[in-house]
Amino acid sequence: MSKIPCPTHQMAMTWLRETHNLFIRVGFGNDNKGNFLYMADIYDLTNDAVDGLYNPIVEANDYLFTNPKTYEEAVEAALKYTLENLI
C-alpha cells in the first residue's frame, strides 16, 4: 500500500492564514427551510479590523449552495472556494 502525504484541514487553514492572510470561520445555523447546517465565512486579515472585527470578503451564502451537514463539509467547501477563486 502506498501512502500519499497531504495536509489536514487545520494545516491548510493555518497555511492560508499565515501565507495569504485569509481566515476561514466555520459556524452553524439554519437554511430558509429551518434545516440545520454548517457554514463558513472567509476573511481577509490584511484589512484593518473595525471594533476588533474583520469584515468577511466572502460570506457563506455567496458560495455554499450545498447545505453542508458536517463541519468537515463546510471546511472543505470553503477551502475549495478559496483555492479556486481567491489565490
Side-chain angles (χ1 to χ4, degrees):
M1 176 189 302
S2 63
K3 296 182 181 180
I4 301 172
C6 64
T8 63
H9 289 150
Q10 189 60 40
M11 291 167 72
M13 290 169 58
T14 299
W15 173 77
L16 285 172
R17 186 180 68 250
E18 292 175 352
T19 306
H20 297 284
N21 291 313
L22 296 172
F23 176 73
I24 297 173
R25 181 185 73 172
V26 178
F28 57 89
N30 296 333
D31 63 11
N32 17 357
K33 296 180 182 177
N35 298 319
F36 179 83
L37 63 119
Y38 286 90
M39 58 192 88
D41 297 319
I42 304 167
Y43 296 86
D44 181 354
L45 300 179
T46 59
N47 295 333
D48 292 332
V50 177
D51 296 325
L53 301 173
Y54 289 95
N55 290 324
I57 56 171
V58 176
E59 294 184 279
N61 293 337
D62 293 338
Y63 68 96
L64 288 179
F65 300 107
T66 59
N67 296 346
K69 300 295 184 210
T70 66
Y71 174 88
E72 289 79 13
E73 288 177 358
V75 170
E76 286 177 15
L79 286 171
K80 181 178 178 183
Y81 180 88
T82 301
L83 294 173
E84 291 176 353
N85 299 288
L86 300 177
I87 294 181

